[in-house]
Amino acid sequence: MKIMVIGGGGREHAVIKKLKENKSVEKIFALPGNGGIAADATCVPIGATDIDGIVSFARENKIDYAVVTPDDPLVLGAVDALNKIGVPCFGPEAKAAIIEGSKVFSKNLMKKYNIPTARYEVFDTPEAACEYLKTTTFPSVIKADGLALGKGVIIAENLDEALGAVDSMMKDKVFGASGSRIVVEEFLTGPEVSVLSFTDGETIVPMISSMDHKRAGEGDTGLNTGGMGTIAPNPYYTKEIADECMRTIFLPTIKAMNAEGRTFKGCLYFGLMLTPDGPKVIEYNCRFGDPETQVVLPLLESDLLTVMQAVTNGKLSETEVKFSDKSCACVVMASGGYPKSYKKGYPITIPEEIADSVIIAGAKQENGRLVTDGGRVLNSVAVADTLKDALDKAYENASKIKFENSYMRRDIGQRALKAKEVK
Ligand code: AMP
Ligand code: GLY
């Protein structure tokens, strides 16, 4: 079987490593892949948003199955375009990917179908937003409607910050058209949980829960990033809470999307906050999370390709999806300066004996060497019987990886370890 995976980050590397476990996979192409993925797949220099290029490649190379992982090609309709030429895909069609592509859509969906989320208002002019903000309480959360590389959310502590956020999104257009409409929402508190799920539109199977660490600095300080590390399972996500989420959030979301004529097939990601009033949705993503995938897939005991194909074929209810009861930790090693400006092109040294536990996110091959090529450079991932052992191993391995000006948070998983002590 010839498989094509669209994307080129750590998440795609984790997906490819897992897909390779299936013996029927003869060849995996990554479009565009990266310098580390090159060890596990054939990288093809076609960008993840070049839908025409992706379709031509699939046709010319007789691709049997495509996995579309990043948000932008999904929102742009990569799955629709591939299905049109007869290539089965894992991932939602554009009309369902809108659940991530438009915050206004997802907020209105939740309101219409009584799915718990933060209270909100939508604005399409800066004047109306500013008038409203003068009457609201702080902190207040301001979100660009469209995709914004994970940076379209600003938590404003006061009116000045809020007005500044509105100006930058709606007047200065820092996120382009994504900021033509904004959502202003109530600030929620509580532990955050990421739940990725497989769904074929009828059945929904949550994967093992995880916890991201979004802020750049230790103790959850500093700027929001794409994610500085993850652990799974998330100790705050008890069986009782999982049952409640299934009843009040997961099944209602699938049904709501069906009722809207936007059946969702693929990986639906629920960003949840466990508030004092119960679990609420912070955001939906139409895809695997990054770096959540890096801790969730190593714990998947079932065959990933089989599960993905069951999703595509509407047979998820007949397919076993089993997770191990171990723990997994992922520590992100980033370029110093990320998420602001940083330099690229530094050679990376990874000792051979730990190479298997390293997922490459932003690096390329240059003159036969792996060099840094992004903000988040790589992930050190470890599985163990306990979370503490997984974290120790991930950090021990990370300490053996060298590149100039590298940065990692030293406190990934600490909050989770404390939560475990409390119970
Ligand atoms: P997002 O990019 O939508 O995941 O948002 C980034 C981060 O902002 C989330 O992980 C939360 O920590 C925070 N956030 C988003 N919405 C809210 C909210 N309504 N209340 C509190 N924090 C929020
Ligand atoms: N780690 C959060 C995301 O993938 O959006």
Side-chain angles (χ1 to χ4, degrees):
M1 221 182 151
K2 280 201 251 176
I3 300 186
M4 172 172 93
V5 175
I6 310 303
R11 164 184 55 201
E12 285 73 21
H13 197 185
V15 166
I16 286 167
K17 275 180 176 273
K18 198 74 191 173
L19 286 173
K20 275 179 71 180
E21 291 175 8
N22 183 305
K23 295 282 171 286
S24 70
V25 175
E26 299 152 43
K27 185 136 185 110
I28 303 183
F29 295 99
L31 281 62
N34 68 38
I37 290 177
D40 292 293
T42 304
C43 296
V44 183
I46 294 176
T49 54
D50 177 2
I51 310 293
D52 291 343
I54 291 168
V55 168
S56 304
F57 182 85
R59 195 189 279 121
E60 282 156 23
N61 292 277
K62 301 196 168 41
I63 295 296
D64 299 301
Y65 192 65
V67 179
V68 186
T69 18
D71 48 4
D72 15 7
L74 288 167
V75 170
L76 287 170
V79 168
D80 311 55
L82 287 165
N83 283 341
K84 215 183 234 171
I85 61 156
V87 177
C89 296
F90 182 84
E93 293 174 342
K95 67 179 179 197
I98 193 176
I99 198 165
E100 173 170 5
S102 167
K103 293 243 189 307
V104 174
F105 171 85
S106 69
K107 295 298 288 190
N108 289 344
L109 184 86
M110 289 186 269
K111 187 188 253 178
K112 182 169 172 188
Y113 294 92
N114 286 318
I115 298 165
T117 188
R119 284 194 301 271
Y120 71 102
E121 299 286 338
V122 177
F123 300 98
D124 49 23
T125 67
E127 293 75 24
C130 292
E131 278 316 303
Y132 171 79
L133 284 164
K134 285 177 190 157
T135 65
T136 195
T137 53
F138 291 94
S140 181
V141 184
I142 300 167
K143 299 186 172 181
D145 176 39
L147 297 179
L149 298 168
K151 294 178 188 159
V153 175
I154 290 179
I155 298 177
E157 298 293 339
N158 52 49
L159 183 59
D160 270 359
E161 280 181 28
L163 298 181
V166 170
D167 274 357
S168 68
M169 286 181 194
M170 302 191 91
K171 289 189 181 160
D172 305 339
K173 302 252 177 241
V174 290
F175 304 121
S178 289
S180 346
R181 283 195 297 180
I182 61 164
V183 173
V184 177
E185 70 177 35
E186 168 199 17
F187 178 76
L188 300 176
T189 54
E192 285 186 56
V193 185
S194 304
V195 180
L196 284 56
S197 68
F198 291 110
T199 177
D200 59 7
E202 287 297 323
T203 304
I204 179 159
V205 181
M207 299 181 219
I208 200 161
S209 62
S210 55
M211 183 193 286
D212 195 3
H213 297 69
K214 283 219 165 86
R215 300 294 197 95
E218 275 149 32
D220 296 321
T221 55
L223 293 173
N224 255 323
T225 69
M228 293 302 295
T230 37
I231 57 107
N234 184 322
Y236 290 100
Y237 192 72
T238 59
K239 166 89 176 72
E240 201 181 11
I241 292 174
D243 290 345
E244 184 179 352
C245 289
M246 181 56 92
R247 202 177 63 248
T248 63
I249 296 174
F250 304 160
L251 285 171
T253 301
I254 295 307
K255 288 188 183 142
M257 291 298 275
N258 287 338
E260 295 292 312
R262 295 176 183 274
T263 296
F264 190 103
K265 291 174 112 176
C267 172
L268 182 53
Y269 166 127
F270 299 87
L272 305 172
M273 197 169 264
L274 308 181
T275 78
D277 300 327
K280 295 191 180 180
V281 178
I282 289 281
E283 63 161 349
Y284 291 116
N285 290 330
C286 64
R287 51 165 177 95
F288 284 97
D290 189 344
E292 283 89 342
T293 306
Q294 288 87 314
V295 287
V296 168
L297 290 187
L299 297 174
L300 177 65
E301 287 181 341
S302 311
D303 176 60
L304 178 62
L305 180 60
T306 306
V307 177
M308 285 182 159
Q309 288 179 308
V311 166
T312 307
N313 300 329
K315 302 250 191 268
L316 189 57
S317 64
E318 302 161 25
T319 307
E320 187 186 54
V321 185
K322 197 167 174 289
F323 282 88
S324 118
D325 56 10
K326 294 188 173 185
S327 289
C328 189
C330 162
V331 176
V332 171
M333 292 183 76
S335 301
Y338 172 77
K340 284 190 159 168
S341 61
Y342 50 83
K343 291 204 178 114
K344 300 182 195 175
Y346 295 123
I348 307 169
T349 317
I350 304 171
E352 188 54 43
E353 72 273 14
I354 62 164
D356 258 4
S357 65
V358 181
I359 297 285
I360 301 295
K364 64 177 179 184
Q365 294 287 342
E366 202 171 76
N367 304 325
R369 294 203 67 169
L370 193 63
V371 302
T372 66
D373 192 35
R376 291 188 293 177
V377 174
L378 56 85
N379 312 139
S380 171
V381 177
V383 174
D385 287 340
T386 66
L387 174 59
K388 182 166 185 319
D389 288 350
L391 284 163
D392 286 349
K393 190 79 199 152
Y395 273 111
E396 187 192 324
N397 288 347
S399 72
K400 297 177 184 160
I401 300 168
K402 306 283 178 216
F403 60 91
E404 208 172 309
N405 213 11
S406 73
Y407 169 74
M408 64 179 138
R409 270 180 65 167
R410 302 270 162 193
D411 65 338
I412 301 303
Q414 289 309 308
R415 197 163 168 213
L417 283 177
K418 291 206 181 86
K420 279 200 156 169
E421 279 165 25
V422 175
K423 273 196 287 162

